[in-house]
């Protein structure tokens, strides 16, 4: 499987989502532009991802890894530290992504 498009999708979405707070409700131009362009790139590359990945698996990987990375980015840049229940939930998401990659026959389509 080709993971390059999925990686670009995830990175673009993480950048866009992380910039949402900086838009100040879309009143600041540059952060707003980053959000719009980031999501456009993410959706475009997600369509390319779907050439080789089943939709459900691709979306699960995108959403799961996106959640984990956005949590890390916002902890670093916005000092929004997750509490222990959030860390436990994020750990379960990581476990889910690992299970899909290691054990799902659908993931090897």
């Amino acid at each position: 499987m080709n993971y390059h498009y999925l990686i670009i999708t995830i990175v673009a979405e993480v950048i866009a989502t992380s910039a949402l707070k900086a838009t100040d409700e879309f009143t600041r131009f540059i952060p707003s532009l980053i959000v719009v362009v980031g999501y456009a790139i993410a959706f475009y590359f997600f369509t390319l991802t779907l050439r080789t990945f089943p939709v459900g698996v691709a979306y699960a990987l995108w959403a799961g890894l996106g959640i984990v990375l956005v949590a890390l980015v916002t902890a670093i840049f916005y000092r929004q530290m997750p509490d222990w229940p959030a860390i436990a939930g994020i750990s379960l998401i990581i476990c889910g992504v690992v299970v899909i990659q290691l054990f799902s026959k659908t993931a090897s389509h």
Side-chain angles (χ1 to χ4, degrees):
M1 278 192 251
N2 186 344
Y3 287 89
H4 296 96
Y5 294 141
L6 183 58
I7 291 168
I8 293 168
T9 298
I10 294 167
V11 169
E13 185 265 337
V14 168
I15 291 169
T17 301
S18 300
L20 271 171
K21 183 173 177 63
T23 68
D24 199 22
E25 298 176 5
F26 288 97
T27 60
R28 297 181 58 217
F29 180 72
I30 297 298
S32 298
L33 184 63
I34 291 169
V35 169
V36 171
V37 171
Y39 283 132
I41 290 168
F43 282 110
Y44 174 73
F45 279 94
F46 190 64
T47 64
L48 299 180
T49 299
L50 297 180
R51 291 178 180 171
T52 56
F53 278 81
V55 175
V57 171
Y59 189 70
L61 294 173
W62 177 13
L65 293 172
I67 290 167
V68 171
L69 293 173
V70 167
L72 288 172
V73 168
T74 57
I76 293 166
F77 290 104
Y78 296 117
R79 306 278 186 240
Q80 296 176 344
M81 301 307 222
D83 58 11
W84 286 109
I87 291 170
I90 290 169
S91 298
L92 290 171
I93 291 168
I94 293 169
C95 290
V97 169
V98 170
V99 166
I100 289 170
Q101 286 303 297
L102 294 179
F103 302 110
S104 175
K105 292 180 180 154
T106 305
S108 62
H109 173 355

